[in-house]
Amino acid sequence: MSHKAAILTQLNSPLEIWDIEHASTSFGKTCATGQVRVEMLMSGICGSQLQEIAGNKGNAGFIPHLLGHEGCGIVREVGAGVNVQLIGKKVVCHWRKGEGSDAYLTARYETGGGRTLGGGHVTTLCESAVVSRNRVTVVDDDVPMELCALLGCGLSTALGTVEQEAKLKFGESILIIGCGGVGMNLIQAAKLSCAFPIVACDVNLDKKSAAMYNQATHYINISELFEHPVEKYDVIVDTTGNIQAIEDGIQRLASGGRFIMVGQPKPGQSYRVLSALDMFFGEGKTIIATQGGGFRPHLDIPRYVNLWRSGLLDLTGTISHKLPLEQINDGIDLVRNGLAGRVMISLK
Ligand SMILES: [Zn+2]
């Protein structure tokens, strides 16, 4: 049975919505060993998809291909070596490896014309996805699909960055550069860690109200940051990958400070550590390039669901748009132009 999926058919071009089918494995099943088929309910659009559209993820040779790496769905089928009790379970689809089989094969899809498309080990911007077992984590049925999808990347990255990479302590100061979806979640994570002040920074002043709703204590335009190099911070997180923001931010680290790069610069770009001797100031300083906040899906997603159950996690100020798959290019433009928090794509 065919289903719809967003397909990258050409670099730096709008995605196309194609009707596709799952390619059969050698045993005539949809799932190969170690794979599960997920009926997708919702997916987020992450900055990584923008990088893929630009061909910055080593993906240029695999076009056309499917996209997406944070989603919520229901398992409908499992391949050999996967517990059949997963069928019918609600799952987070995530790009980091969790527990269970790491499928040897990546997912394949077909068009009516016999063309074959790749989906990698996880894909979420489609109505039905074949995913490696270790890219799904089961959650309870009552977990809202928005939360479930965000736990696949953006929210888990933010929580992991603050608690596991930055090891933010009570009362430490934090500067968050870039107030997209991850940035908004970082503000919340900083609040949960009792940081002060929590300074949010973006080029777009329209994001101030959402940042303050998430309990940032200050909101500044990024141009002010560059012009007034006065504040020092215990933790600085850059979500933009912007070279100037990184170079400028590193100079604002306090003694013992940690600078965490979440946003990725473009391939071939370099940044400089200006006044390098300052890196030795006081207790010394650290620069970390994090992979998704180092979150471990099978261990951390259940804890983060508990955090939501405690009432301390409020996603109202995080999700700025909810769009159908047919409008995915509008959503991508919103993210690319810095006009959105998290954009969610409804798939059912
Ligand atoms: Zn992501």
Side-chain angles (χ1 to χ4, degrees), residues 30-178:
T30 300
C31 298
T33 301
Q35 293 179 333
V36 300
R37 179 170 64 82
V38 181
E39 178 189 353
M40 297 305 305
L41 303 175
M42 185 160 279
S43 173
I45 298 176
C46 171
S48 286
Q49 278 85 71
L50 268 58
Q51 297 270 23
E52 286 178 294
I53 290 168
N56 292 340
K57 288 282 198 178
N59 60 310
F62 299 98
I63 292 171
H65 66 74
L66 284 76
L67 290 161
H69 68 197
E70 65 171 35
C72 173
I74 309 288
V75 175
R76 295 298 183 202
E77 189 180 336
V78 300
V82 179
N83 191 332
V84 293
Q85 291 186 348
L86 270 183
I87 294 171
K89 300 286 190 196
K90 185 183 256 188
V91 289
V92 176
C93 298
H94 42 75
W95 62 272
R96 285 184 62 82
K97 293 180 183 180
E99 67 181 353
S101 315
D102 190 25
Y104 176 71
L105 296 174
T106 55
R108 306 298 298 170
Y109 301 81
E110 291 173 350
T111 66
R115 198 168 181 181
T116 304
L117 310 169
H121 282 102
V122 63
T123 184
T124 59
L125 289 163
C126 52
E127 292 174 335
S128 180
V130 166
V131 178
S132 179
R133 163 67 186 95
N134 63 352
R135 277 16 179 249
V136 298
T137 296
V138 174
V139 293
D140 291 335
D141 289 342
D142 67 334
V143 175
M145 64 177 90
E146 292 83 358
L147 172 68
C148 182
L150 283 170
L151 286 171
C153 178
L155 179 57
S156 296
T157 294
L159 292 168
T161 294
V162 165
E163 70 164 349
Q164 295 178 59
E165 301 279 34
K167 297 183 170 60
L168 191 65
K169 299 183 186 72
F170 298 151
E172 282 196 321
S173 57
I174 184 169
L175 169 68
I176 294 155
I177 304 173

Side-chain angles (χ1 to χ4, degrees), residues 1 36 110 141-142 175 194-195 200 247 261 267 286 316 319:
M1 200 171 72
V36 300
E110 291 173 350
D141 289 342
D142 67 334
L175 169 68
C194 303
E247 290 185 347
M261 297 168 61
T286 307
T316 316
I319 296 169

Side-chain angles (χ1 to χ4, degrees), residues 230-249:
V230 287
E231 296 285 349
K232 296 283 186 183
Y233 298 92
D234 298 307
V235 173
I236 301 174
V237 185
D238 173 71
T239 69
T240 67
N242 177 288
I243 295 299
Q244 192 182 353
I246 294 169
E247 290 185 347
D248 198 71

